Amino acid sequence: MSGSKQKKVYKRRERSWRGKLVEKFPYAKFLKLMLYNAWFAFFTMLIAAIILAVGIVIPKFFRVTPVHMAEVEKRSILDFMQASQLRKTAQRHAEQGDIDEAINAWVQSVQQNPGKTETVREFVSYLVENDNSSQRIGQAVNFGQWLLQLAKTNSADAILVSKVYNKYGFPSETLKLLEPIHESLDDSVRMEYVKALFENQELEQFLAEYQKLPPALKENAAIKPLYLAYEFGFSGNPLASQKASQELLTMSDADPANDFLLRLIFLVAANRQDTDLLAVLLKKLSAINADRPQHHHAYWIILSRKGDADLARKFARDYPNPPFTARGLVSQYETLLELGLNNEADEFASKHIERFGYVPQPWFSICNSLVERAEWEKLNRIADKMILDSRMVKYISYAYYFKGKAFSGELRLASAADEFNKITALGLASDESALDIIRELTILGYPAISKKLLEGLIDLPVWTDRKDFWISLWRAGWNTRDLQTALKATTRLFQLDPTDQISAFNYTACLIAERSRMSEALVRSQDILSQRPNFIPALINYSLALLLNDRLDEAETILKIQINPDSISQELQPSYNLALFELAFKREKLQEAAQIYSQIKRDELYQEQQRWLLNAFASIQTRLN
């Protein structure tokens, strides 16, 4: 190349953007290679693209569980792709009739993307329709429960999962799902509901629902045995019982693999406490893999109650199967406790409780049992598990309560107070357990915490008409000497039932302590006294109301003539002395008032009463000096 051409090339480079970059960064060799070596630039960018793709596709960035679930599951784009492919594989195997391969592919698909409700629903439906293996009970129950969590237990999914429970022999779970929607069930699902009623021994409701069935359904193979079992074991008619038993046993002998018939006869045998027949039925159920934990629990309890407790304990200790449901866990735990196997029960609970972290009832049952048995160390450990389980975040306040209870039982009162104080920052759920905890905290000597928790619940509609809630709030107000809280509670109690004398009395006492609605206080106290003329607390309240309204002579007659000072209980003494003080103060008997003041236990009065008393005594001191 001639010199003139080279100069032109260099000038073009210098004028180009690449040339300007090279000129700006003369020592950047990598930049020169990227700008002037096309193959190097291509492979470098390819490697960068691969790294970027891996960084996007593989990390688990995306939450797949709904926001209403405390449990957080995250997955990657690669997981989504694999889940989709596995779902298609499962569907293909299902079409070809390959049940095991289809189920395995569906399980893997759900594991890759557990938040895909459609996949879980599809899998559960397939199990209900095609799986005849009792080996998959745990799988079916677990995925059914997971579906209910994902879909917030809508009616369609409740019916679907009830079919899982019905198929694998969990009638209590079936009833729990179908009871709220039983009025809207079609005939096929209504039969399952009627079966669940009988197997849970809800006999009155069973008969009512059975009578509603059309005649054709009553003769159905799934319904007729139910009525036969009812007549056999529960009707109280010996003739009908004998006839029904023969027919039912004949049906069972003709179809020995029919677990439904065996379960019905088992219920009758349990009701009759026939341990020999129960043992035979358990063997038959076990032979076809249809025995469930509840059958064994019932057998152990009946054995124990009939005097064979040692054999019952042996069976309980040797039983190897884990619980399939949260209710099954509680049932076995309570059964072991009834058999006197406390340590075994606690070990069983500790081993299996975390499988059911999404359900609060097992945790509460176990913790309450530990409280009753004063097993404080074990209670502390279970409470720690609750705190660490992310699925229990909604109920973490209860975990802190149980930890505080454990510390309180061990007399570690400062640690207990720390745990109880954590509850106030979190609040409690709006159910019955909240009131139970608040009452217990009051008994334990933490009224301020109780009051704060109650104030956090006060605006919830569920408590508006609950007298026990407002009584708890009044007690919290009184125990903390907080008049406004007590007045709010007694006002609502009086509104709920103006005829209740206790509510009216407490409301009147708060009005008197408030010292602003003098006329109403007088009217209310007079009404109470008219109903109970010689009731000392009512006489004291009426005298205080008279003093508020400057009717000193009437008040003095009550305090010094009608009331015998020796009859005043220690509990009423502060109010009685307060009335005597106010009478002397308003009569300008300052020395007498000062003497009475020294006898008043001011801590037994509301804070507003204490302030008025202090101000009045300060005024007396000023005037005496």
Side-chain angles (χ1 to χ4, degrees), residues 216-227:
L217 278 183
K218 290 180 180 179
E219 294 299 316
N220 186 284
I223 295 297
K224 185 178 180 180
L226 291 172
Y227 195 72

Side-chain angles (χ1 to χ4, degrees), residues 15 26 29 46 55 104 126 169 228 261 266 318 341 369 381 416 426 434 460 462 466 480 515 526 542 547 582:
R15 286 195 297 270
K29 294 181 180 180
L46 180 63
N104 290 336
Y126 185 78
L228 289 174
L261 293 174
F266 187 95
D318 294 343
L341 300 174
S369 171
R381 287 201 297 268
L426 298 166
L460 297 177
V462 68
R466 286 282 301 269
T480 56
R515 303 183 70 87
Q526 198 167 22
Y542 185 50
L547 289 167
E582 186 165 355

Side-chain angles (χ1 to χ4, degrees), residues 190-205:
R190 184 173 293 278
M191 288 195 298
E192 292 182 12
Y193 174 60
V194 173
K195 285 168 63 178
L197 283 171
F198 182 79
E199 291 196 72
N200 282 281
Q201 298 191 41
E202 299 283 349
L203 299 179
E204 187 176 339
Q205 197 172 353

Side-chain angles (χ1 to χ4, degrees), residues 307-346:
D308 211 343
D310 290 338
L311 182 60
R313 293 190 190 102
K314 181 182 181 303
F315 286 147
R317 287 193 182 101
D318 294 343
Y319 186 66
N321 295 345
F324 295 112
T325 65
R327 191 170 298 191
L329 169 64
V330 174
S331 173
Q332 185 153 337
Y333 180 72
E334 292 176 346
T335 300
L336 291 171
L337 289 176
E338 184 168 339
L339 294 174
L341 300 174
N342 292 2
N343 289 332
E344 288 84 347
D346 294 335

Side-chain angles (χ1 to χ4, degrees), residues 145-265:
Q145 292 173 337
W146 184 249
L147 174 61
L148 294 177
Q149 290 184 76
L150 288 175
K152 282 190 172 180
T153 316
N154 61 63
S155 296
D157 289 327
I159 291 170
L160 173 60
V161 177
S162 74
K163 292 179 180 178
V164 172
Y165 290 137
N166 185 62
K167 178 173 183 173
Y168 294 106
F170 296 97
S172 59
E173 304 296 336
T174 303
L175 185 61
K176 180 181 175 182
L177 287 175
L178 296 183
E179 181 66 40
I181 57 173
H182 74 274
E183 296 291 349
S184 60
L185 300 176
D186 60 30
D187 285 345
S188 63
V189 184
R190 184 173 293 278
M191 288 195 298
E192 292 182 12
Y193 174 60
V194 173
K195 285 168 63 178
L197 283 171
F198 182 79
E199 291 196 72
N200 282 281
Q201 298 191 41
E202 299 283 349
L203 299 179
E204 187 176 339
Q205 197 172 353
F206 159 74
L207 286 174
E209 292 296 327
Y210 175 81
Q211 297 302 332
K212 294 178 186 177
L213 294 174
L217 278 183
K218 290 180 180 179
E219 294 299 316
N220 186 284
I223 295 297
K224 185 178 180 180
L226 291 172
Y227 195 72
L228 289 174
Y230 171 75
E231 289 192 318
F232 179 12
F234 303 94
S235 66
N237 184 332
L239 187 62
S241 175
Q242 185 178 4
K243 182 180 177 182
S245 69
Q246 291 173 350
E247 189 172 352
L248 192 60
L249 290 169
T250 301
M251 292 170 68
S252 179
D253 291 340
D255 188 6
N258 190 325
D259 64 304
F260 173 55
L261 293 174
L262 291 173
R263 293 203 312 265
L264 291 181
I265 300 171

Side-chain angles (χ1 to χ4, degrees), residues 27-239:
Y27 301 106
K29 294 181 180 180
F30 180 78
L31 179 61
K32 290 179 182 179
L33 286 170
M34 287 292 293
L35 292 174
Y36 295 113
N37 188 325
W39 283 110
F40 180 81
F42 172 75
F43 284 112
T44 301
M45 293 179 70
L46 180 63
I47 292 169
I50 291 171
I51 293 171
L52 180 63
V54 168
I56 293 173
V57 171
I58 293 180
K60 301 180 186 294
F61 290 131
F62 306 97
R63 174 172 176 157
V64 295
T65 46
V67 292
H68 67 264
M69 288 179 62
E71 188 169 359
V72 177
E73 293 279 352
K74 292 186 177 182
R75 293 295 186 269
S76 65
I77 293 174
L78 181 62
D79 290 327
F80 295 149
M81 294 164 60
Q82 290 175 337
S84 177
Q85 187 60 43
L86 286 164
R87 183 183 180 188
K88 291 175 183 177
T89 302
Q91 291 168 341
R92 185 173 67 253
H93 284 307
E95 290 172 0
Q96 295 170 355
D98 299 329
I99 295 176
D100 289 339
E101 289 79 0
I103 289 175
N104 290 336
W106 254 309
V107 169
Q108 292 177 58
S109 177
V110 174
Q111 288 172 344
Q112 292 298 110
N113 184 3
K116 186 76 170 176
T117 307
E118 293 79 7
T119 304
V120 181
R121 186 179 292 120
E122 190 176 60
F123 176 42
V124 173
S125 300
Y126 185 78
L127 284 173
V128 170
E129 294 169 6
N130 296 278
D131 178 43
N132 294 314
S133 170
S134 60
Q135 302 300 321
R136 297 196 181 91
I137 297 171
Q139 220 171 42
V141 170
N142 289 338
F143 281 105
Q145 292 173 337
W146 184 249
L147 174 61
L148 294 177
Q149 290 184 76
L150 288 175
K152 282 190 172 180
T153 316
N154 61 63
S155 296
D157 289 327
I159 291 170
L160 173 60
V161 177
S162 74
K163 292 179 180 178
V164 172
Y165 290 137
N166 185 62
K167 178 173 183 173
Y168 294 106
F170 296 97
S172 59
E173 304 296 336
T174 303
L175 185 61
K176 180 181 175 182
L177 287 175
L178 296 183
E179 181 66 40
I181 57 173
H182 74 274
E183 296 291 349
S184 60
L185 300 176
D186 60 30
D187 285 345
S188 63
V189 184
R190 184 173 293 278
M191 288 195 298
E192 292 182 12
Y193 174 60
V194 173
K195 285 168 63 178
L197 283 171
F198 182 79
E199 291 196 72
N200 282 281
Q201 298 191 41
E202 299 283 349
L203 299 179
E204 187 176 339
Q205 197 172 353
F206 159 74
L207 286 174
E209 292 296 327
Y210 175 81
Q211 297 302 332
K212 294 178 186 177
L213 294 174
L217 278 183
K218 290 180 180 179
E219 294 299 316
N220 186 284
I223 295 297
K224 185 178 180 180
L226 291 172
Y227 195 72
L228 289 174
Y230 171 75
E231 289 192 318
F232 179 12
F234 303 94
S235 66
N237 184 332
L239 187 62

Side-chain angles (χ1 to χ4, degrees), residues 253-491:
D253 291 340
D255 188 6
N258 190 325
D259 64 304
F260 173 55
L261 293 174
L262 291 173
R263 293 203 312 265
L264 291 181
I265 300 171
F266 187 95
L267 280 175
V268 174
N271 184 58
R272 295 185 167 196
Q273 298 199 356
D274 187 339
T275 53
D276 293 335
L277 180 55
L278 286 172
V280 171
L281 291 166
L282 264 181
K283 286 182 180 178
K284 289 184 177 182
L285 287 166
S286 180
I288 57 174
N289 291 318
D291 59 319
R292 299 291 174 264
Q294 65 264 28
H295 300 130
H296 292 272
H297 303 163
Y299 180 49
W300 304 339
I301 291 296
I302 292 169
L303 270 178
S304 177
R305 290 176 181 174
K306 294 197 74 175
D308 211 343
D310 290 338
L311 182 60
R313 293 190 190 102
K314 181 182 181 303
F315 286 147
R317 287 193 182 101
D318 294 343
Y319 186 66
N321 295 345
F324 295 112
T325 65
R327 191 170 298 191
L329 169 64
V330 174
S331 173
Q332 185 153 337
Y333 180 72
E334 292 176 346
T335 300
L336 291 171
L337 289 176
E338 184 168 339
L339 294 174
L341 300 174
N342 292 2
N343 289 332
E344 288 84 347
D346 294 335
E347 288 172 10
F348 175 81
S350 182
K351 181 178 179 181
H352 296 291
I353 185 62
E354 289 172 279
R355 288 183 56 201
F356 305 100
Y358 51 87
V359 183
Q361 280 72 31
W363 296 93
F364 291 172
S365 296
I366 292 163
C367 287
N368 285 328
S369 171
L370 293 170
V371 168
E372 289 172 9
R373 292 183 283 124
E375 293 281 2
W376 306 125
E377 187 177 345
K378 292 178 181 178
L379 178 62
N380 211 338
R381 287 201 297 268
I382 289 287
D384 282 333
K385 285 188 176 185
M386 287 178 70
I387 292 168
L388 293 173
D389 195 324
S390 61
R391 297 166 298 177
M392 285 297 291
V393 65
K394 182 179 177 182
Y395 300 96
I396 196 167
S397 295
Y398 296 86
Y400 289 127
Y401 163 72
F402 287 121
K403 275 188 73 69
K405 186 76 174 174
F407 287 136
S408 178
E410 294 172 338
L411 300 181
R412 296 163 61 185
L413 301 183
S415 297
D418 289 341
E419 298 301 324
F420 291 144
N421 277 313
K422 291 175 184 176
I423 303 173
T424 60
L426 298 166
L428 293 169
S430 56
D431 56 26
E432 198 65 38
S433 61
L435 273 189
D436 292 338
I437 286 177
I438 288 167
R439 292 188 194 105
E440 183 65 20
L441 288 171
T442 302
I443 293 169
L444 289 172
Y446 300 93
I449 295 175
S450 298
K451 183 170 77 74
K452 192 168 183 180
L453 289 170
L454 287 163
E455 288 170 345
L457 300 172
I458 201 167
D459 294 326
L460 297 177
V462 68
W463 304 116
T464 303
D465 297 328
R466 286 282 301 269
K467 288 185 70 173
D468 53 349
F469 173 83
W470 295 104
I471 289 170
S472 295
L473 184 64
W474 169 75
R475 285 178 180 154
W478 167 245
N479 287 331
T480 56
R481 304 302 185 258
D482 183 340
L483 176 60
Q484 296 308 311
T485 298
L487 182 58
K488 184 183 292 185
T490 53
T491 300

